[in-house]
Amino acid sequence: MEQNIPVAEDERVHPFSSSPMSEHWNIEEAKKLSPFTLSQKLGFHELFSSKVWRASLAELVGSAVLVFAIDTIVISSYETQTTIPNLIMAILISITVAILLLVTNPISGGHINPVVTLSASLLGLISLSRAAVYILSQCVGAVLGALALKAVVNNNIEGTFSLGGCTLTVIAPGPHGPIIMGIETTQALWLEIFCTFVFLFASIWIAFDHRQAHALGRVVVFSIIGIVAGLLVFISTTVTAAKGYAGVGMNPARCFGPALIRGGRLWNGHWVFWVGPAIACVAFYLYIKIIPRHHFHMEGFKHDTLNMVTTLSK
């Protein structure tokens, strides 16, 4: 998760900053503290910062491990033919996410998810340029993770489980020929929006709020994030009870990797796994802007999207 004050001396971005801000961001402060040029406001200089690109390497490796681990969990949970594959899958995903966040946080801030990166960018914790670098790294890492998985599983498992990727439907044999099993695109879109918003509201909020993050500590915060992610995967696969639907993605990069490597039906409705989370990120940002400021203790606001637009218009 993100550090709340990006600084030139330290390119890492954590949710656990060393000192709280005495005042929160407002338009007058934006005029005084924000850079004067549009390129500085957007953080274009970070596109050429070796420290940012080195930090993004943690996002790449973390995303690769995440995709390899989660897709393996998805395949093994159903391959073992247990009576509770959804529950086992949710528990293992929770543990995996928490561990990877702890590993990558000291280096890059521990995003390994475009949803977290976009939210941090909208709220002003990082610049749009850094966000672009991170998301690119996450997508490349997801592709590498899917390639690694493809290299170790046999063709039968790869075809049966679509590399553990994000599917809305599958084609299965029926009494009168092949039938399509899964859920409708509209239903999947609403699930992505709702579950991603809950993910941000119930867990990422804690990491972005420096008061809660400091009080709880890294291990607790990242454990909460992992638990919420696993719980939402369990809920989405259980409430639909539809074979062929792999559950909510809540991570566009994680869905992109297997889709690019495996292809086929993984591209069917793939846009849902990008549009849904993006809408949820905007909704979360608007929610943060609407609630009273004293309820959300976040440091930074250097690149806040709304304040940036407001100051540019002055």
Side-chain angles (χ1 to χ4, degrees):
M1 305 299 85
E2 282 299 316
Q3 173 188 16
N4 300 334
I5 302 181
V7 291
E9 291 79 7
D10 185 359
E11 294 295 336
R12 296 172 300 171
V13 187
H14 312 277
F16 308 93
S17 54
S18 58
S19 59
M21 276 185 69
S22 58
E23 297 181 54
H24 290 290
W25 182 271
N26 56 43
I27 293 177
E28 291 303 318
E29 287 173 327
K31 294 178 182 177
K32 296 177 183 178
L33 301 178
S34 60
F36 293 101
T37 66
L38 178 61
S39 63
Q40 288 174 316
K41 288 179 181 292
L42 296 176
F44 283 164
H45 65 282
E46 293 193 306
L47 292 175
F48 308 98
S49 169
S50 61
K51 291 183 179 180
V52 172
W53 284 97
R54 288 202 297 270
S56 72
L57 182 61
E59 292 295 308
L60 186 151
V61 175
S63 296
V65 175
L66 180 72
V67 168
F68 181 87
I70 288 183
D71 290 0
T72 302
I73 289 170
V74 171
I75 292 173
S76 59
S77 296
Y78 289 101
E79 181 69 7
T80 53
Q81 297 182 346
T82 175
T83 57
I84 50 172
N86 295 3
L87 180 59
I88 294 176
M89 182 170 63
I91 293 173
L92 294 177
I93 287 176
S94 298
I95 297 172
T96 301
V97 169
I99 292 174
L100 288 176
L101 289 177
L102 283 168
V103 170
T104 57
N105 174 259
I107 304 170
S108 65
H111 292 198
I112 57 175
N113 188 340
V115 165
V116 178
T117 301
L118 178 58
S119 294
S121 178
L122 290 174
L123 288 169
L125 294 175
I126 62 173
S127 68
L128 288 173
S129 296
R130 183 190 288 265
V133 172
Y134 275 17
I135 291 174
L136 175 62
S137 298
Q138 291 156 3
C139 290
V140 172
V143 172
L144 295 178
L147 277 172
L149 182 60
K150 180 180 174 66
V152 299
V153 300
N154 60 51
N155 293 334
N156 182 50
I157 292 179
E158 177 187 344
T160 302
F161 297 99
S162 298
L163 271 183
C166 304
T167 57
L168 299 183
T169 60
V170 296
I171 299 177
H176 304 290
I179 59 174
I180 298 178
M181 304 173 63
I183 65 174
E184 297 292 333
T185 302
T186 302
Q187 184 182 4
L189 179 61
W190 278 111
L191 278 169
E192 286 294 324
I193 294 172
F194 176 75
C195 289
T196 303
F197 181 83
V198 172
F199 172 66
L200 293 168
F201 175 76
S203 60
I204 303 303
W205 165 290
I206 300 174
F208 285 172
D209 187 323
H210 71 83
R211 185 181 61 175
Q212 295 189 72
H214 280 300
L216 295 173
R218 297 172 189 268
V219 174
V220 173
V221 170
F222 295 144
S223 296
I224 291 173
I225 293 172
I227 291 171
V228 171
L231 182 62
L232 289 170
V233 169
F234 175 75
I235 290 174
S236 66
T237 53
T238 303
V239 73
T240 57
K243 293 182 178 180
Y245 175 54
V248 290
M250 297 185 295
N251 186 331
R254 182 261 174 195
C255 297
F256 175 74
L260 186 66
I261 300 305
R262 172 62 184 173
R265 62 175 178 266
L266 288 176
W267 287 117
N268 296 339
H270 179 73
W271 62 271
V272 166
F273 300 107
W274 288 89
V275 175
I279 293 173
C281 287
V282 174
F284 179 68
Y285 170 72
L286 294 176
Y287 169 77
I288 295 296
K289 299 299 290 184
I290 291 172
I291 64 172
R293 179 63 65 198
H294 65 274
H295 289 307
F296 186 57
H297 301 264
M298 186 179 74
E299 301 172 355
F301 297 94
K302 180 179 179 182
H303 305 279
D304 179 86
T305 304
L306 184 59
N307 288 325
M308 188 188 306
V309 172
T310 303
T311 54
L312 283 175
S313 63
K314 297 296 183 180

